[in-house]
Amino acid sequence: MGRATGRDAGRRGDRRAAVRDTIGVGLGLFPIGMAFGVLVVQSGFAWWWTPLFSVLVYAGSMEFLMVGLISAATPLASIAATTFLVNSRHLFYALSFPRHRVDGRLGRAYATYALTDEAYALTATLPEPELTSTRILAIQVLCQAYWVTGGIVGALSGRALPESIRGFGFALVALFAVLALDAIRAARDVPTPLLAVGCALAAARIAHERMLVVALGLLVVVLLVRHRTRGPGAPPGDVVPDA
Amino acid sequence: MPEGPAILASLLVAGAVTVALRAVPFVVIEPLRRSSVIRFLGLHLPAGIMVILTIYTLQDVPLRSWPHALPEVVALTVTVALHLWRRSAVLSILAGTATYVVLTSWLVSGGAIG
């Protein structure tokens, strides 16, 4: 282990880079985590259930749903089915999440467990040479830390700020919009985002309750068709914007 | 409100399904990573998924009643314009959210009639 010092310095740099990567997302996760904490306490749970929710079911939108489902004493089978539908978008994340860059069984296990929308978006858009194991794991640990801390702060502050908190939920919309712009810039392609808008609007019309799952399924089908019609020869890196 | 063990059981079930959804595809996908379809999807899916998630978070905004999605449209425009201009995620999210908080409190509690 003679190169340990150089590698430690590299890891420190990766962790610092991860802090920079996650500041924007943290500004979204922390206040939404607070809103979640307030909801948990207002629904009659003790404050310490908030971190338990966020560790056992680490999936923001599903955690919000779980508060209502548990309060209504929903059967476990229904909870399993709902979770499957709401989180089935994660089936698509494995296609481009750089888990193969993460070292060790434990590291890969955590990377898989903590593969949220935000973690996916932050890592899938990083340039290939910057994808180190430490950077990816640090991004994921920080995302969960922002979310859990926000939840605890919200749960402990209780009913103090419900009105202003509601407006802070917009941070989630702004977050996804910003991540969309970054991803579009990284792929340098115009048709895909337009096709995605079409998929979303069609799904909202035909399956409002399950809009997310239907829209993502449609998107995969449309992209498969697009790949096929482009012809088999061209490597994906050569995609040129049509506009 | 259910008892502690019932709450815990619900959380464990939802947690197990969530982790399974995140883990299972890797087993199927890993050997296919070099295929041209998977690389094409890997390049194009992120942008498409983020666009869909953005629309998903906005789909329950009421259009017919006051304030007719006005705060959402203005705040989203501020967010996108700032991000195209400065490329700073922190600035874009913060400014967009601040715009939204100010607009909703002003338009909704300011006595405006729809």
Side-chain angles (χ1 to χ4, degrees):
Chain A
M1 291 287 150
R3 288 172 302 165
T5 334
R7 216 165 43 196
D8 284 352
R11 284 185 185 156
R12 260 200 309 280
D14 286 338
R15 278 194 284 267
R16 262 201 298 275
V19 172
R20 276 198 310 275
D21 293 336
T22 55
I23 288 174
V25 162
L27 279 172
L29 285 177
F30 191 86
I32 299 164
M34 276 180 75
F36 173 67
V38 172
L39 177 72
V40 169
V41 180
Q42 286 186 343
S43 305
F45 294 87
W47 72 269
W48 45 265
W49 278 110
T50 309
L52 268 179
F53 268 72
S54 306
V55 171
L56 294 176
V57 190
Y58 179 37
S61 49
M62 194 59 220
E63 291 175 45
F64 274 98
L65 286 175
M66 284 299 287
V67 173
L69 292 174
I70 292 177
S71 303
T74 309
L76 293 182
S78 305
I79 285 180
T82 308
T83 310
F84 184 86
L85 284 170
V86 172
N87 283 343
S88 49
R89 65 182 183 280
H90 293 153
L91 285 170
F92 306 109
Y93 290 173
L95 295 174
S96 45
F97 178 69
R99 194 182 75 155
H100 53 289
R101 290 298 192 105
V102 177
D103 302 329
R105 286 174 73 96
L106 204 66
R108 286 193 182 201
Y110 180 76
T112 309
Y113 152 82
L115 182 47
T116 57
D117 301 323
E118 294 80 11
Y120 167 76
L122 286 174
T123 51
T125 50
L126 275 184
E128 186 84 7
E130 294 183 32
L131 284 172
T132 65
S133 182
T134 310
R135 177 96 167 253
I136 296 168
L137 287 175
I139 285 174
Q140 293 191 278
V141 168
L142 284 169
C143 283
Q144 190 165 20
Y146 300 141
W147 176 254
V148 173
T149 314
I152 292 173
V153 170
L156 291 177
S157 64
R159 290 141 221 251
L161 332 130
E163 195 54 42
S164 56
I165 284 281
R166 219 160 46 113
F168 277 109
F170 189 82
L172 187 69
V173 183
L175 167 69
F176 286 135
V178 162
L179 294 175
L181 289 175
D182 287 343
I184 293 168
R185 194 179 287 140
R188 292 199 290 168
D189 173 75
V190 173
T192 296
L194 294 180
L195 291 169
V197 170
C199 292
L201 296 181
R205 184 152 287 263
I206 59 179
H208 185 84
E209 294 295 304
R210 290 166 193 178
M211 177 271 197
L212 198 50
V213 182
V214 173
L216 293 171
L218 277 176
L219 178 69
V220 171
V221 172
V222 167
L223 285 180
L224 287 176
V225 170
R226 200 182 151 205
H227 176 259
R228 180 136 293 227
T229 52
R230 271 172 65 253
D238 291 356
V239 174
V240 174
D242 291 5
Chain B
M1 176 64 60
E3 297 291 313
I7 301 176
L8 209 55
S10 303
L11 293 179
L12 287 172
V13 166
V17 174
T18 303
V19 170
L21 284 167
R22 288 172 185 168
V24 168
F26 284 107
V27 182
V28 185
I29 296 303
E30 210 68 52
L32 299 174
R33 195 169 284 286
R34 301 199 143 265
S35 86
S36 95
V37 183
I38 297 300
R39 286 172 63 204
F40 182 82
L41 288 178
L43 185 73
H44 287 272
L45 270 181
I49 289 178
M50 292 311 145
V51 167
I52 288 174
L53 282 172
T54 309
I55 297 174
Y56 170 69
T57 53
L58 287 168
Q59 76 165 344
D60 288 323
V61 175
L63 292 175
R64 289 173 201 284
S65 58
W66 181 258
H68 304 289
L70 201 63
E72 283 82 3
V73 171
V74 175
L76 197 62
T77 307
V78 168
T79 308
V80 170
L82 259 180
H83 200 62
L84 290 176
W85 179 35
R86 302 304 298 265
R87 297 195 178 192
S88 158
V90 181
L91 181 70
S92 316
I93 294 172
L94 208 63
T97 307
T99 306
Y100 184 78
V101 170
V102 169
L103 275 181
T104 40
S105 53
W106 180 54
L107 287 176
V108 176
S109 54
I113 301 156

